[in-house]
Amino acid sequence: MQLREIAHSRTGDKGNIANISVIAYRESDYPILEKYVTTERVKAFFGDLVTGEVIRYELPGLGALNFVLHGALAGGVTRSLRLDAHGKSLSSALLGMEIG
Amino acid sequence: MNPPFLRIGAGAGYSGDRIEPAVELAEKGRLDYLVFECLAERTIALAQQRRAHNPEEGYDPLLEARMAACLPACKRNRVRIITNMGAANPVAAMKKTAAVAERLGLKGLKIAAVTGDEVTDRIRNMDLRLLESGEPLNSLRDVMISANAYLGARPIVKALDAGADIVITGRVADPALFSAALIHEFGWSFTDFGRLGKGTVLGHLLECAGQVTGGFFADPGYKDVPDLARLGFPIAAASADGDFVLTKVPGSGGRITTATCKEQLLYEIHDPARYYTPDVVADFTGVRFEPLEADRIRVTGGAGNPKTGLLKVSVGYLDGFIGEGQMSYGGPGAVGRGQLALDIVRERLAFLGIEPADAQFDLIGVNSLYRSALPAGAPAEVRARVAVRTADRSIAQKVAEEVEALYTNGPAGGGGAVKSVREVMAVRSVLIPADLVSTEIHFQNS
């Protein structure tokens, strides 16, 4: 199953750091997110797209995780050469992650 | 007596945002305040350049259009306006707004401008480190264009206390544009960090306007949103304790659900327990969203801790030029021809001795967003894209032209070439003690 079946997601940017929220549609699915959407798997998923550390913050009360990806925006929104300099499309990719 | 509920609407989520949703809010939102957040990270540095060319410029390019559209209903319905559309020149924005009001025959509006966020000369020779890289600030000294500190709510509150109907600022922490209204109306103390934290939650949820009412959310079949072409912007109805109900004008497009609220709460957030603002370190971890009825969500549980006493400063600096060219290829073999096009340009740059500081070779449709992180199929069409950053404008121009030259020198069937060159205004950040910044408030009546 793809993450997309149980969760939705949005990317934000600050400088060269992207954050990606992963939010369970049903809060009862939160333990699945916690188990399968790990820091290591997210880091591996994006490969060389993300050059720095990945940190996961947990929000069980909202049924959500928040990933902070350092070095994810090729130098930052204002000087990146990427087509999507904000990294806004990163969240959509992550929803294709296989879980369970 | 304090009002039982304060109704605050968000009239813009970025400088180019739609204007009619703000008019709809001013006319039908039963608002007390309408807030326009229009200042992205580098917008103010670009505005600073415009001001350098003309001292009457440097405010938001859409200020006049937004004010002309919204002022009549705001005046009629006694809706006060707070906005950072002053950008690099709040005083000129105040004068322009007064002129717009007078042109529309709207007399007796008190307009305020907040200045003091600009600290370019003050910090130029300070021993500060860039937050992103740890390098000294003075490594940018020859290319620095502007430095603007993120102000808190205090100067806005002062302007409201003095009776301003419209408050125009430059760089201010986005949520402070909203919390200032709460602080003024409910008489909150600047040491009441719990309430300031709740005000920050309100401001953070509203500051991107349509992003909490169904914009930036739709994913057909999974997350459907009605009538995005007529997206309604959000309204918060807040009580004196800082909790609030999020809603929008009945009949407007979009939707507000716990899901739209959660996405926006975590938008551009790092540690949700520590969201730094000039007024408070807000804690979002206890926030809860309770659906009341359609498009009405009760928001509770925001919290806060004492501020750090430091202000973030955005430093804008010139960082060379980006030259870019694109060309499309389609049909069977599109990916192969697009790849050949990129290889040709790569070889041409080497042949011409062009060594840009940074270069990107993309096949849009295959790897422009995620490189190799996602597998690509066999798209019906691809777009070859080459972008470089270089200190020299003529080199950037040359690279863009090399892509265009693929028309007659490259693979079969290349079409739709575009080329562009732009100067890069990059942004870095430093932290400074808050007491280095002194603000001033200016007034003008229409």
Side-chain angles (χ1 to χ4, degrees):
Chain A
M1 164 173 82
Q2 288 191 331
L3 181 54
R4 186 186 189 204
E5 301 302 325
I6 62 165
H8 56 108
S9 180
R10 177 173 292 190
T11 312
D13 64 275
K14 285 268 187 252
N16 197 22
I17 302 170
N19 83 293
I20 306 180
S21 60
V22 177
I23 305 162
Y25 284 108
R26 295 181 308 176
E27 290 181 6
S28 57
D29 284 337
Y30 173 74
I32 303 177
L33 301 186
E34 209 175 24
K35 180 172 176 190
Y36 290 101
V37 193
T38 61
T39 302
E40 295 72 27
R41 288 196 74 210
V42 170
K43 172 92 177 150
F45 185 88
F46 286 113
D48 65 359
L49 215 52
V50 177
T51 58
E53 186 188 12
V54 174
I55 300 168
R56 183 176 94 165
Y57 294 101
E58 290 147 18
L59 297 109
L62 294 173
L65 300 172
N66 186 39
F67 290 90
V68 175
L69 289 68
H70 291 259
L73 298 176
V77 176
T78 53
R79 60 199 299 272
S80 165
L81 295 179
R82 287 199 194 145
L83 192 61
D84 174 16
H86 295 85
K88 289 187 185 281
S89 61
L90 295 173
S91 55
S92 306
L94 188 61
L95 291 180
M97 177 185 267
E98 286 294 331
I99 56 167
Chain B
M1 199 185 96
N2 289 332
F5 286 98
L6 190 69
R7 289 173 67 91
I8 307 175
Y14 81 104
S15 67
D17 213 340
R18 292 178 187 164
I19 293 181
E20 326 87 79
V23 178
E24 180 178 62
L25 281 177
E27 288 177 347
K28 302 178 188 166
R30 295 184 288 116
L31 298 185
D32 300 295
Y33 285 84
L34 180 57
V35 177
F36 299 92
E37 195 291 293
C38 295
L39 212 46
E41 257 189 328
R42 68 177 149 185
T43 317
I44 203 160
L46 297 167
Q48 194 72 39
Q49 281 186 310
R50 290 202 305 280
R51 183 183 181 170
H53 289 131
N54 179 349
E56 294 306 310
E57 288 285 331
Y59 52 83
D60 188 285
L62 285 177
L63 171 95
E64 190 170 357
R66 286 193 201 287
M67 289 296 182
C70 296
L71 280 184
C74 285
K75 176 83 163 61
R76 191 167 62 244
N77 297 325
R78 296 197 301 274
V79 180
R80 295 166 104 174
I81 292 173
I82 302 173
T83 180
N84 55 12
M85 278 192 282
N89 202 346
V91 170
M94 172 180 74
K95 291 178 185 165
K96 175 58 77 177
T97 301
V100 171
E102 280 156 26
R103 196 177 74 213
L104 296 171
L106 304 172
K107 299 277 181 203
L109 285 172
K110 186 167 186 175
I111 306 163
V114 173
T115 57
D117 58 302
E118 208 223 306
V119 292
T120 317
D121 292 331
R122 186 160 292 195
I123 71 162
R124 194 181 291 278
N125 294 314
M126 284 178 66
D127 180 22
L128 297 168
R129 299 271 152 183
L130 303 175
L131 287 181
E132 292 82 359
S133 64
E135 292 167 311
L137 172 66
N138 72 23
S139 64
L140 300 178
R141 105 184 260 147
D142 296 336
V143 287
M144 184 164 128
I145 295 293
S146 66
N148 292 78
Y150 282 81
L151 304 180
R154 200 180 286 268
I156 305 173
V157 172
K158 275 191 196 164
L160 295 172
D161 289 347
D165 300 294
I166 301 171
V167 183
I168 302 174
T169 73
R171 176 61 74 204
V172 167
D174 296 346
L177 297 167
F178 297 83
S179 58
L182 300 164
I183 295 164
H184 166 73
E185 294 286 342
F186 294 132
W188 291 353
S189 156
F190 275 97
T191 55
D192 187 348
F193 296 108
R195 281 193 173 87
L196 294 176
K198 289 172 187 284
T200 301
V201 170
L202 184 156
H204 180 70
L205 284 170
L206 264 68
E207 70 179 64
C208 295
Q211 278 197 185
V212 76
T213 53
F216 202 49
F217 182 82
D219 193 359
Y222 286 77
K223 297 189 293 179
D224 290 297
V225 180
D227 211 2
L228 280 168
R230 289 191 54 256
L231 184 64
F233 284 179
I235 301 165
S239 53
D241 65 3
D243 290 329
F244 58 97
V245 171
L246 204 57
T247 187
K248 62 189 185 70
V249 172
S252 62
R255 63 195 296 210
I256 306 178
T257 66
T258 56
T260 67
C261 291
K262 288 178 185 178
E263 280 197 22
Q264 190 55 24
L265 185 75
L266 298 178
Y267 179 69
E268 292 184 340
I269 290 295
H270 293 172
D271 181 350
R274 275 177 280 277
Y275 183 68
Y276 294 97
T277 83
D279 299 312
V280 59
V281 179
D283 180 352
F284 293 175
T285 54
V287 172
R288 296 294 177 267
F289 299 106
E290 180 196 346
L292 301 177
E293 51 200 270
D295 296 324
R296 283 176 65 83
I297 303 284
R298 185 190 305 282
V299 186
T300 57
N305 290 296
K307 61 187 174 184
T308 62
L310 297 171
L311 296 183
K312 188 167 105 170
V313 175
S314 282
V315 178
Y317 65 100
L318 295 174
D319 192 19
F321 299 86
I322 289 178
E324 179 176 339
Q326 297 184 12
M327 181 81 87
S328 281
Y329 299 89
V335 172
R337 279 177 288 125
Q339 191 57 54
L340 175 59
L342 296 179
D343 292 345
I344 293 168
V345 174
R346 209 187 296 265
E347 195 176 335
R348 286 289 298 168
L349 298 192
F351 173 72
L352 294 167
I354 294 174
E355 292 174 353
D358 196 5
Q360 176 112 0
F361 295 81
D362 294 322
L363 272 190
I364 298 172
V366 175
N367 60 17
S368 69
L369 297 178
Y370 312 121
R371 291 198 207 168
S372 57
L374 290 195
E381 57 185 61
V382 300
R383 192 154 174 83
R385 171 180 182 266
V386 179
V388 300
R389 188 174 57 245
T390 159
D392 186 335
R393 180 187 282 271
S394 67
I395 298 287
Q397 182 70 32
K398 183 67 191 151
V399 172
E401 284 164 1
E402 280 295 330
V403 178
E404 185 185 60
L406 290 166
Y407 263 140
T408 55
N409 301 279
V418 297
K419 59 182 174 181
S420 66
V421 174
R422 63 180 175 88
E423 190 166 27
V424 180
M425 179 68 77
V427 171
R428 292 276 189 260
S429 310
V430 294
L431 295 175
I432 62 170
D435 57 18
L436 277 184
V437 173
S438 50
T439 58
E440 199 177 335
I441 303 165
H442 316 254
F443 293 97
Q444 182 168 346
N445 295 307
S446 70

